[in-house]
Amino acid sequence: MEVKTNKRRGDPGKPPGLHRTAGCTVELISSHNRVFDYLRDIQNRPQWERMSSGSLVQELANITMGPDPRNCISVLAMSNHKEILILQECCTDATGSYVIFAPITPNDFQSMLYGVDQDLPLMPFGFSILPNVSGSILDGTLLTMVFQITVKNVSSKQAVEVVTQIVKEALQKIIEAVN
C-alpha cells in the first residue's frame, strides 16, 4: 500500500485542501475481462464499494465510446445518497482495462452538462486492470486500485488509516468475488 499527501490550492479541476491518495496492486487468478466486467457492473458495486453498500445503484445515462458497448461513460445514482451522483468511465481492449469513478453533486453535474462550469473539482478513483503475462503465458490479472479523500477535521494519521482501510476492504471483497 502506498499513501501520498497532496495540498491543493486552486489547481484546475481539483478541489482545494489536503488530500490523501492510497494505491495498491494485487495479483488475481481471474482473467482481466472477468475482473473488468465485475467492476463495471453496477449491480456488483454495493458488494465492494463502501459508499454504495446497502444501496440500489441505477444507471441514469450511458454514452458508448466506440464499437464495444463496455467502453462507455455512465452516470450512476444511489438510493441511499441522493446528494451524490457517480460518473463512471469504463474502457477495455486486449492490452488492459480501466474503470474510473468520480462523485459529483447533481448541481455540479447540471453545470457540466450545460457547459456552465468547465472547471468542476472532481476526486476520481478507480482501477487499472492488466493481463498478467509471464513470457507467452497469460497468468491472471494485475489489479491496481487508487482512492482519494479530502482530509477535513481529522488528524493525518486518521486520514491515512481511513483511506488505507477503504482500499483494503474493497480489494478483499473484489478478490473474494472474482477469484
Side-chain angles (χ1 to χ4, degrees):
M1 180 79 63
E2 185 172 324
V3 179
K4 180 181 175 185
T5 301
N6 291 315
K7 188 167 188 174
R8 297 203 171 98
R9 298 180 193 143
D11 297 342
K14 303 288 183 187
L18 188 62
H19 304 278
R20 291 276 193 247
T21 304
C24 187
T25 299
V26 294
E27 255 184 288
L28 303 172
I29 59 174
S30 299
S31 73
H32 101 270
N33 281 321
R34 175 171 159 71
V35 176
F36 173 73
D37 288 337
Y38 175 80
L39 290 172
R40 71 178 195 81
D41 185 337
I42 63 172
Q43 302 308 314
N44 294 330
R45 187 179 184 93
Q47 295 172 20
W48 59 265
E49 198 251 344
R50 185 184 279 191
M51 189 167 74
S52 62
S53 181
S55 184
L56 295 174
V57 181
Q58 178 184 8
E59 186 175 63
L60 302 179
N62 179 298
I63 301 166
T64 302
M65 302 178 306
D68 187 336
R70 299 178 304 165
N71 294 337
C72 61
I73 297 174
S74 302
V75 180
L76 309 178
M78 297 173 289
S79 61
N80 64 349
H81 289 287
K82 305 259 187 235
E83 72 284 359
I84 297 287
L85 297 173
I86 302 290
L87 296 178
Q88 173 178 289
E89 181 176 355
C90 302
C91 186
T92 190
D93 64 25
T95 63
S97 310
Y98 64 82
V99 181
I100 306 295
F101 311 98
I104 188 169
T105 67
N107 288 342
D108 284 347
F109 179 71
Q110 289 294 329
S111 294
M112 181 186 71
L113 194 61
Y114 295 116
V116 174
D117 192 348
Q118 300 296 319
D119 189 29
L120 292 172
L122 296 177
M123 290 286 286
F125 65 98
F127 302 92
S128 167
I129 309 154
L130 301 172
N132 189 11
V133 180
S134 300
S136 62
I137 299 170
L138 184 60
D139 191 27
T141 299
L142 294 174
L143 176 67
T144 300
M145 179 182 183
V146 176
F147 187 81
Q148 302 181 78
I149 61 169
T150 300
V151 178
K152 294 181 183 176
N153 303 324
V154 296
S155 71
S156 291
K157 183 180 178 185
Q158 286 176 308
V160 168
E161 289 171 358
V162 167
V163 74
T164 56
Q165 189 62 32
I166 288 169
V167 171
K168 284 180 183 178
E169 285 177 10
L171 286 174
Q172 185 58 44
K173 291 174 183 177
I174 292 164
I175 290 167
E176 290 170 3
V178 299
N179 269 348

